Amino acid sequence: MMLAEAFQHQAISCERMGSPFMGRLLRILAEHWPADSALAQRLAQFDGDIGPAGASLPLRTAGGLHALVLTARAPELAALYPPAQVSDEALREGVLEALDQHEAFMLDWVESPPQTNEVRRSAALIAGAAVTADHFDLPFMVSELGASAGLNLMWDRYGLSLPGVEMTPPDPVITLTPDWTGPLPPHIRPVVTERAGVDLNPLDPGDPQDLLRLTAYLWPDQPERLALTRAAAAVTDAPIHRGDAIDWLATRLASAPEGHLHLIQHTVAWQYFPADVQARGREMIEAAGATATPTRPLAWLSMESDGDTTGGIGAALVLRLWPGGITLPLGRADFHGRWIRWDGARDTG
């Protein structure tokens, strides 16, 4: 895929996910890319898939530009970003000027892959955890694979507002309000007594540079995401370990305490693991499930792409529970947590 084509494809994706500004920005980059610049030469050196399933060069570029805006390094560019309403010509001139004037910053920025921690996915985790607690009334130990900065490990601190019901803890850090259709989940708030996560490149939300990387990849015309991320980051204190997810999980499975439910969770992370890693992880989790007991149960809650677009682009929500080997297809959710189509909790064995 050529870079211009990758920009165009990413533009379509962002527009479908509710960001017309990103669509405009990425089309401008596709059509007016400064091909003779040092940045262009660097991006031309990337091999393989440069789209969203690979190196994500369009998002790296857009994220770098947003970082210039958020840090006030490029005030002229910031004046053209939302909520400002400007012409395509003005935006084009401002973007190309920023790429030229801040080339050193951009060259450094694009060396690292995009990393976000979409906190609105916690709405699905809260609902799935409620179903889990309905089966096993025990305190939770939570392990997250591909945890990024750990914002979604704090779901028990977040409120979930649904039609006719408020699933809200005392003093919620944030309240999530997805477009919900289907039956309501059990009105249960599990108690989390221990939590940790793992990531190949964990971010510290308390570090200004790491927080910048998280927020720069949020889309400039979606201020709600920015506000939610900053609020969640301010209270996130879950330990995130650097390393291979499945190697780390092996230790976590062995250390799950008696009298607790061990919840393994991941959102839009498992699908990026190599096939052999997925197979090893699945075998490990199922083996641990085979030894689970009513006083030391195991739950596996996932929100991952399954390739099914019949109900709209989104991720499948699946909960597996042991003992019993129960599989509950809970429904589907938007990748950014904007909507949830809840099917309930039908055991498929």
Side-chain angles (χ1 to χ4, degrees):
M1 180 185 295
M2 301 296 291
L3 186 57
E5 184 182 5
F7 277 125
Q8 293 283 9
H9 284 186
Q10 188 65 63
I12 294 170
S13 177
C14 290
E15 288 167 344
R16 287 176 176 170
M17 298 292 286
S19 179
F21 175 81
M22 282 290 287
R24 291 178 64 206
L25 174 65
L26 291 162
R27 292 183 199 284
I28 286 171
L29 291 169
E31 297 168 7
H32 303 281
W33 183 242
D36 58 347
S37 65
L39 179 62
Q41 293 171 20
R42 174 65 190 99
L43 296 190
Q45 295 172 3
F46 279 81
D47 296 323
D49 186 355
I50 62 173
S56 289
L57 299 189
L59 288 182
R60 293 191 197 207
T61 305
L65 288 166
H66 196 197
L68 291 172
V69 169
L70 292 174
T71 57
R73 292 172 183 262
E76 298 85 359
L77 181 64
L80 304 173
Y81 265 51
Q85 299 289 330
V86 301
S87 67
D88 285 353
E89 180 182 3
L91 182 59
R92 181 186 72 243
E93 291 178 357
V95 165
L96 294 179
E97 182 179 359
L99 289 176
D100 179 58
Q101 292 187 353
H102 301 278
E103 188 167 66
F105 176 89
M106 292 295 298
L107 284 168
D108 179 67
W109 182 272
V110 299
E111 290 303 316
S112 298
Q115 193 161 358
T116 57
N117 203 176
E118 182 52 69
V119 71
R120 292 183 298 180
R121 294 174 185 161
S122 278
L125 296 176
I126 293 169
V131 174
T132 304
D134 197 33
H135 283 77
F136 299 105
D137 183 17
L138 293 169
F140 280 29
M141 165 184 165
V142 182
S143 300
E144 183 169 18
L145 312 181
S148 188
L151 305 190
N152 285 317
L153 270 166
M154 309 299 294
W155 52 258
D156 60 314
R157 300 283 306 278
Y158 308 154
L160 177 58
S161 180
L162 303 178
V165 64
E166 300 289 329
M167 300 177 64
T168 303
D171 301 319
V173 175
I174 58 175
T175 298
L176 304 170
T177 58
D179 177 8
W180 183 281
T181 58
L184 295 174
H187 194 186
I188 302 172
R189 293 292 310 200
V191 175
V192 177
T193 59
E194 198 268 348
R195 73 192 89 212
V198 63
D199 199 277
L200 286 175
N201 182 33
L203 298 180
D204 177 3
D207 180 277
Q209 290 305 309
D210 283 359
L211 183 59
L212 174 62
R213 185 155 290 276
L214 284 176
T215 53
Y217 284 110
L218 302 175
W219 298 339
D221 54 348
Q222 297 182 339
E224 178 194 10
R225 296 176 69 199
L226 187 62
L228 289 172
T229 298
R230 285 175 170 163
V235 300
T236 297
D237 57 4
I240 309 299
H241 302 268
R242 183 183 300 273
D244 175 84
I246 304 307
D247 290 343
W248 176 82
L249 182 60
T251 302
R252 291 284 288 178
L253 287 169
S255 66
E258 181 73 18
H260 285 69
L261 178 140
H262 184 189
L263 173 66
I264 302 165
Q265 67 179 45
H266 48 84
T267 65
V268 198
W270 185 273
Q271 62 199 54
Y272 295 114
F273 296 172
D276 62 322
V277 175
Q278 291 182 359
R280 185 162 61 94
R282 187 177 299 106
E283 180 180 356
M284 180 188 301
I285 294 171
E286 291 175 347
T291 65
T293 68
T295 57
R296 193 171 176 266
L298 178 66
W300 182 8
L301 177 59
S302 66
M303 174 184 164
E304 300 287 344
S305 174
D306 61 355
D308 182 2
T309 60
T310 56
I313 297 173
L317 304 175
V318 179
L319 175 65
R320 299 186 66 184
L321 299 170
W322 295 271
I326 301 170
T327 299
L328 304 174
L330 301 177
R332 302 190 70 79
D334 171 66
F335 288 118
H336 286 178
R338 296 175 301 168
W339 53 261
I340 295 176
R341 309 290 182 256
W342 190 257
D343 293 334
R346 298 176 293 101
D347 178 11
T348 62

